[in-house]
Amino acid sequence: MNMIFKKILICAVCAVSLTGCGKRSISPDNEICSDRNVFAMDTFMTICAYGDNADEALKSAEEKIKYLESIFSVTIEESDIYKINNSHGSTVEISPETAEILVEAVKMCGKTDGALDITLYPVLNSWGFTSDDFRIPDVKEITELLEYVDYSKISVDGIRVTIPDGFQLDLGALAKGYTSDAVADVLRENGVESAVINLGGNVRTLGKKPDGSLWKIAVRDPFDTENDMCVLETGEISVVTSGNYERYFEGDDGQRYWHILDPSDGFPADNGLVSVTVIGESGLYCDALSTALFVMGEDKAVEFWRKNHDFDMILVTDSHEIMYTSGVENSFENLTEMSAEVIDSD
Ligand code: ADP
Ligand code: MG
């Protein structure tokens, strides 16, 4: 099939960018910010840390990222996920970190009623999102592959995991969130109290700026990806964005097909949203939710938030409207001409 495809934003300019942290520079409050760039998990990552032990801490953080990539990757042949995906129904022993992320992932799949489903890999594969060999599979092919999609068939018992033959897992929707939390822990253990961890569309801050002031986190405009849509002023937090502009191709039919799929039909989720940003304490939770709420669409996402008040979110609809929850009302600054409406608790 002859297709024009386009892969954009494969650098630090993913969904969320950050103001206020430069390359080993003097910040306005005269504190040195050390930074480190890492390419892992298909993402350009930047970590900025302040304090005397920052360089040492960043080295440990990079090692942690590389280690997590080596166990979570679907393509590295020694990884835990690769072993599970090639187990043909037999039980596999994995590392504690993989067991931990799997337990949390399965919980999030259940909590989101299957909008998130980490067994979608065979379907993602048939669209070419795993290989960049993009194609539009026919409905029959997708229907057959959906037989192998059901997160409730994953069994995790300590470090022992079993999935049915033919099933395959992919942690792409939440691995970076888990990693951002792990990096925050490593930095803290190494004496860092102030840092910004930017893993593409996943930003996690540690503490406040060295002078005690708040960070400014910018969220990309999904309609104008060179520019920012809004700025959030915040202390220690995770801000994670999922958007339909991050990875997509255009088919012969001129349609755009993106990398977040709706597990209910195996097609790119097209429920009225172009970007979802989730703001909360845990990177893993925010990452899992940003993908799941994107799949759910506006109404279900709002309903989900009203039932689970442990996060905030910024939705952008395909009709160019911004909606954000009341928890970020005072820290949210709209930089666009789009209308921005507050979502209330009831
Ligand atoms: P990104 O990785 O681009 O920051 P997300 O966190 O939203 O964005 O994750 C998207 C990735 O998750 C896809 O590339 C794919 O590997 C996987 N994925 C796509 N749709 C789903 C889904 N409904 N449930 C679980 N994983 C998904
Ligand atoms: Mg996600």
Side-chain angles (χ1 to χ4, degrees):
M1 196 181 283
N2 186 15
M3 269 174 210
I4 315 161
F5 62 84
K6 199 166 160 195
K7 202 173 152 195
I8 55 160
L9 301 169
I10 7 159
C11 56
V13 288
C14 285
V16 183
S17 65
L18 183 102
T19 48
C21 205
K23 256 195 185 300
R24 200 172 170 81
S25 55
I26 311 281
S27 71
D29 42 329
N30 290 333
E31 285 276 345
I32 300 267
C33 159
S34 299
D35 63 11
R36 205 169 182 100
N37 297 313
V38 182
F39 183 76
M41 304 181 180
D42 238 357
T43 304
F44 285 95
M45 308 177 167
T46 306
I47 312 168
C48 293
Y50 293 90
D52 294 341
N53 203 36
D55 286 323
E56 204 51 40
L58 286 170
K59 214 170 122 211
S60 304
E62 178 169 2
E63 280 163 16
K64 185 77 182 194
I65 292 171
K66 296 280 179 183
Y67 171 67
L68 294 177
E69 177 180 43
S70 78
I71 57 174
F72 294 163
S73 165
V74 265
T75 47
I76 297 173
E77 296 198 1
E78 297 78 32
S79 85
D80 286 337
I81 298 302
Y82 189 91
K83 273 196 274 176
I84 297 169
N85 288 352
N86 290 279
S87 61
H88 303 290
S90 64
T91 299
V92 175
E93 285 203 357
I94 53 168
S95 46
E97 291 88 348
T98 310
E100 186 185 10
I101 192 174
L102 278 178
V103 168
E104 290 305 316
V106 172
K107 256 192 233 164
M108 291 306 291
C109 294
K111 193 177 167 93
T112 61
D113 207 12
L116 185 81
D117 194 321
I118 58 162
T119 60
L120 255 184
Y121 191 71
V123 185
L124 284 160
N125 217 2
S126 76
W127 282 93
F129 285 116
T130 53
S131 59
D132 285 358
D133 221 347
F134 301 118
R135 61 190 279 274
I136 305 168
D138 61 41
V139 175
K140 185 169 171 280
E141 183 181 343
I142 293 181
T143 310
E144 280 167 14
L145 290 171
L146 283 173
E147 293 288 311
Y148 300 97
V149 176
D150 181 356
Y151 67 88
S152 70
K153 302 243 166 72
I154 304 171
S155 148
V156 188
D157 176 13
I159 56 159
R160 294 160 63 83
V161 178
T162 321
I163 59 172
D165 193 15
F167 274 50
Q168 290 189 304
L169 311 182
D170 160 39
L171 298 174
L174 72 176
K176 280 184 272 167
Y178 177 95
T179 303
S180 73
D181 292 334
V183 167
D185 288 345
V186 167
L187 294 179
R188 195 169 262 135
E189 281 158 21
N190 280 275
V192 170
E193 289 171 4
S194 179
V196 177
I197 303 153
N198 187 350
L199 313 185
N202 275 253
V203 171
R204 196 186 192 292
T205 58
L206 195 66
K208 290 186 186 158
K209 282 193 188 171
D211 67 355
S213 65
L214 298 174
W215 306 102
K216 284 187 174 159
I217 301 176
V219 180
R220 194 122 303 181
D221 183 343
F223 296 110
D224 177 10
T225 51
E226 298 293 306
N227 287 306
D228 297 328
M229 170 180 80
C230 65
V231 176
L232 291 169
E233 220 177 356
T234 157
E236 181 160 326
I237 203 86
S238 278
V239 180
V240 182
T241 300
S242 284
N244 69 355
Y245 55 89
E246 284 188 65
R247 198 164 147 71
Y248 65 87
F249 68 92
E250 264 165 34
D252 284 346
D253 53 6
Q255 298 261 22
R256 191 187 275 203
Y257 296 92
W258 50 83
H259 71 313
I260 301 176
L261 304 184
D262 188 337
S264 69
D265 62 8
F267 274 79
D270 195 6
N271 297 317
L273 297 177
V274 290
S275 119
V276 174
T277 300
V278 178
I279 303 120
E281 277 174 29
S282 145
L284 174 96
Y285 190 60
C286 292
D287 198 2
L289 276 190
S290 69
T291 310
L293 299 175
F294 185 94
V295 171
M296 288 182 201
E298 180 186 325
D299 293 348
K300 284 193 187 158
V302 170
E303 199 183 308
F304 186 92
W305 176 74
R306 287 188 174 138
K307 271 196 206 135
N308 300 277
H309 253 301
D310 49 3
F311 68 98
D312 276 289
M313 64 183 183
I314 306 166
L315 309 178
V316 184
T317 68
D318 53 14
S319 48
H320 296 243
E321 282 163 349
I322 305 172
M323 298 167 68
Y324 58 99
T325 51
S326 42
V328 286
E329 203 172 346
N330 296 327
S331 56
F332 172 91
E333 187 191 344
N334 184 4
L335 303 175
T336 69
E337 301 284 296
M338 287 189 270
S339 67
E341 205 180 291
V342 181
I343 307 166
D344 285 322
S345 325
D346 43 47

